[in-house]
Amino acid sequence: MKIVYRSFCDVGLKRQTNQDSIYTYANPQDNMYLFVVADGMGGHMQGEKASGAITGALSEWCASFDSKVYGFDFQRIVVALQNKLQEINGTIFKELNQTQVCGSTCVVLLIYKDCYATLSVGDSRIYQKRGFRFGPITEDDVWENQRKVRDNLTKKQILSHPDYGKLLLAVGVEETVSISRRTDVIKKGDVFLLCSDGLYKFCSENEMKKALKSAAEKNLSTMIERMVAEVYKRGAKDNISVILVKCI
């Protein structure tokens, strides 16, 4: 399959600093692609350093990538990537968390041959369009998604709770971090959308769905422009990061 992609990263209209960082890597000869969105924790010092550390280290990992080292085995590559993210977490914790809280959310999409994997920490997201289906394939690491919360509180109580939306996990905040992982076989026509909360909180899921539906036929850059335009209509209060990936 051929993989095509486009990306966008912007400070938005309200923030003074862009704490988001994105990275895209394509190696068609080795049938390996990597896409990363990292969102430095808003309101905390040096969030841009944490997000930049993630994309920088993963860029170095890709630069030295050799599928022969892993026996051309997808699962071994995924484990190595997860271990690398855990290593990055430890580095950020030691170097940037001595006197203050510093961290970043992160979502990673790895495509290797006919398989894909997602790794996620925090509340940046990956959406997928497959056929007529569309929705997130990562789950936010936030207070309301804990099982004990969903089992013991009503929807109304959850929505009105002061901890609603509270981020529970981020890369670099603790010495180790729990990384969510998903793997699946990729199919022709799949479209993936990686984004920070600066996009999905200000662009409705319906608008994203329309954009991904059109991505099957139209220019990917145009689809990103359409989503970003919606964010700007709503004030663009946060940094905005988007990567759109199409399998053809």
Side-chain angles (χ1 to χ4, degrees):
M1 270 179 286
K2 182 180 179 181
I3 306 297
V4 295
Y5 59 92
R6 294 292 183 272
S7 60
F8 177 87
C9 186
D10 185 68
V11 69
L13 297 176
K14 303 295 184 181
R15 297 289 178 91
Q16 298 299 312
T17 303
N18 191 352
Q19 293 187 318
D20 285 5
S21 183
I22 66 174
Y23 174 66
T24 61
Y25 172 82
N27 185 343
Q29 291 75 26
D30 219 0
N31 293 303
M32 201 278 270
Y33 302 81
L34 192 76
F35 306 97
V36 185
V37 168
D39 179 359
M41 292 171 61
H44 293 273
M45 295 294 291
Q46 303 188 86
E48 68 278 7
K49 290 188 177 181
S51 61
I54 294 170
T55 54
L58 291 178
S59 172
E60 293 175 359
W61 184 79
C62 287
S64 61
F65 178 82
D66 185 349
S67 57
K68 295 191 293 293
V69 173
Y70 309 102
F72 307 99
D73 185 271
F74 173 68
Q75 294 298 336
R76 287 179 62 188
I77 294 171
V78 174
V79 170
L81 179 59
Q82 185 168 347
N83 289 341
K84 183 63 180 179
L85 193 55
Q86 193 70 247
E87 178 187 315
I88 298 166
N89 176 86
T91 300
I92 295 173
F93 178 74
K94 291 176 183 177
E95 296 182 359
L96 299 176
N97 271 277
Q98 297 306 308
T99 59
Q100 59 197 0
V101 176
C102 182
S104 175
T105 71
C106 180
V107 285
V108 179
L109 172 66
L110 167 71
I111 297 176
Y112 181 68
K113 295 185 177 179
D114 60 349
C115 297
Y116 77 86
T118 65
L119 302 177
S120 64
V121 180
D123 62 355
S124 291
R125 293 179 181 175
I126 301 179
Y127 293 82
Q128 182 188 45
K129 177 190 174 296
R130 173 171 284 180
F132 295 105
R133 292 181 298 163
F134 168 79
I137 54 174
T138 55
E139 183 175 89
D140 298 348
D141 294 311
V142 291
W143 172 83
E144 62 268 23
N145 283 342
Q146 297 177 98
R147 176 166 297 208
K148 63 181 180 181
V149 173
R150 292 181 297 195
D151 288 348
N152 293 294
L153 298 178
T154 66
K155 185 176 180 180
K156 184 177 180 180
Q157 288 174 322
I158 291 173
L159 290 172
S160 62
H161 198 280
D163 285 336
Y164 181 80
K166 181 181 178 181
L167 189 64
L168 298 180
L169 294 176
V171 178
V173 175
E174 302 287 346
E175 193 168 0
T176 61
V177 66
S178 177
I179 302 170
S180 298
R181 183 174 77 183
R182 169 195 176 110
T183 59
D184 198 358
V185 174
I186 203 163
K187 293 185 178 181
K188 186 176 181 179
D190 280 351
V191 181
F192 298 92
L193 169 65
L194 291 77
C195 62
S196 60
D197 62 349
L199 180 84
Y200 70 75
K201 286 184 177 179
F202 302 96
C203 181
S204 70
E205 190 164 297
N206 188 50
E207 284 296 328
M208 289 190 285
K209 183 177 181 179
K210 288 179 181 178
L212 266 67
K213 183 178 180 181
S214 299
E217 301 174 355
K218 297 182 180 179
N219 182 280
L220 298 187
S221 296
T222 301
M223 297 304 101
I224 290 177
E225 290 170 5
R226 176 175 173 174
M227 289 185 286
V228 171
E230 288 298 317
V231 175
Y232 272 83
K233 285 180 183 178
R234 292 171 173 81
K237 298 178 182 178
D238 201 352
N239 307 147
I240 313 161
S241 290
V242 189
I243 302 176
L244 201 55
V245 182
K246 177 181 171 184
C247 311
I248 59 177

